[in-house]
């Protein structure tokens, strides 16, 4: 069963995804890496040079066209759920697991980081809240399984997902 991780920036998708792939001995992919490879540019450079709309096009294209192997774990960019066609594709690819945390937790995790173009604004916390409210229903509708991550270390989250796998669709 392939596992697709969705969730907001700072929800732990990449770290959890790598450990999950390792535990299951399968390949690991991240849509942000696939976009960077396709564009030959870092995400921050893509946003700076061509803007968010262009990035969303690339992200959608990569997701549709990339040839995934038989078994894998896929971490996704936080905005992947914005397009219904992306969500449909993710559901075809595997079981969709939402890593959930509330705004305060996420803000504490990512406030020191500078490579999040969407949060390079005067009031990042308010922006985070605004974006999360728009996306909240999209994340929850897309998810086959929701894992609350607040106060948990990565290995614990990985264990919870592994334990829940037999109970979710696949
Ligand atoms: C984005 C999240 C980022 C990256 C891009 C846009 C978003 O990925 O795709 O900066 O819209 O939430 P992470 O969720 O891996 O940080």
């Amino acid at each position: 069963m392939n596992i697709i991780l969705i969730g907001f920036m700072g929800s732990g998708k990449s770290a959890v995804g790598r450990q999950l792939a390792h535990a299951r001995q399968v390949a690991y992919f991240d849509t942000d890496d696939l976009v960077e490879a396709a564009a030959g540019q870092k995400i921050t450079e893509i946003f700076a040079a061509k803007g968010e709309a262009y990035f969303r096009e690339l992200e959608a294209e990569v997701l549709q066209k990339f040839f995934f192997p038989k078994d894998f774990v896929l971490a996704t960019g936080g905005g992947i759920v914005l397009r219904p066609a992306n969500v449909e594709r993710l559901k075809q690819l595997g079981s969709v697991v939402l890593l959930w945390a509330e705004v305060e937790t996420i803000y504490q995790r990512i406030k020191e980081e500078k490579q999040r173009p969407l949060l390079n604004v005067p009031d990042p916390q308010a922006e985070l809240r605004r974006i999360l409210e728009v996306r909240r229903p999209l994340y929850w509708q897309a998810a086959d399984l929701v894992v609350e991550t607040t106060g948990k270390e990565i290995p614990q989250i990985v264990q919870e997902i592994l334990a829940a796998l037999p109970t979710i669709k696949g």
Side-chain angles (χ1 to χ4, degrees), residues 14-154:
S14 305
V16 169
R18 282 178 208 286
Q19 287 196 19
L20 264 178
H22 183 73
R24 289 169 65 79
Q25 293 290 294
V26 298
Y28 167 76
F29 300 99
D30 184 320
T31 60
D32 283 347
D33 297 341
L34 299 178
V35 168
E36 289 186 343
Q41 279 183 310
K42 292 274 168 205
I43 304 282
T44 44
E45 294 166 349
I46 300 170
F47 268 76
K50 305 225 173 96
E52 182 179 351
Y54 181 79
F55 168 78
R56 297 289 169 220
E57 285 298 321
L58 274 183
E59 183 177 57
E61 195 178 317
V62 153
L63 184 62
Q64 296 297 333
K65 294 194 176 154
F66 186 74
F67 189 82
F68 290 94
K70 189 164 162 283
D71 297 308
F72 61 91
V73 172
L74 174 67
T76 57
I80 203 100
V81 293
L82 291 170
R83 291 193 179 197
N86 289 349
V87 173
E88 214 171 289
R89 172 81 171 136
L90 295 179
K91 287 185 160 291
Q92 283 165 359
L93 286 170
S95 296
V96 179
V97 177
L98 170 61
L99 300 187
W100 185 251
E102 284 300 334
V103 171
E104 255 320 300
T105 309
I106 290 177
Y107 183 67
Q108 292 308 321
R109 287 181 192 160
I110 66 181
K111 65 181 178 189
E112 307 301 340
E113 297 178 16
K114 296 278 171 259
Q115 77 276 25
R116 315 269 185 187
L118 288 178
L119 300 180
N120 283 337
V121 294
D123 187 350
Q125 200 170 5
E127 182 63 4
L128 192 76
R129 196 173 297 281
R130 190 189 68 73
I131 302 175
L132 193 56
E133 286 317 313
V134 171
R135 293 185 188 171
R136 179 191 298 264
L138 303 176
Y139 285 137
W140 282 75
Q141 277 157 26
D144 297 308
L145 171 73
V146 180
V147 177
E148 170 59 63
T149 66
T150 306
K152 293 177 189 164
E153 300 288 338
I154 303 292

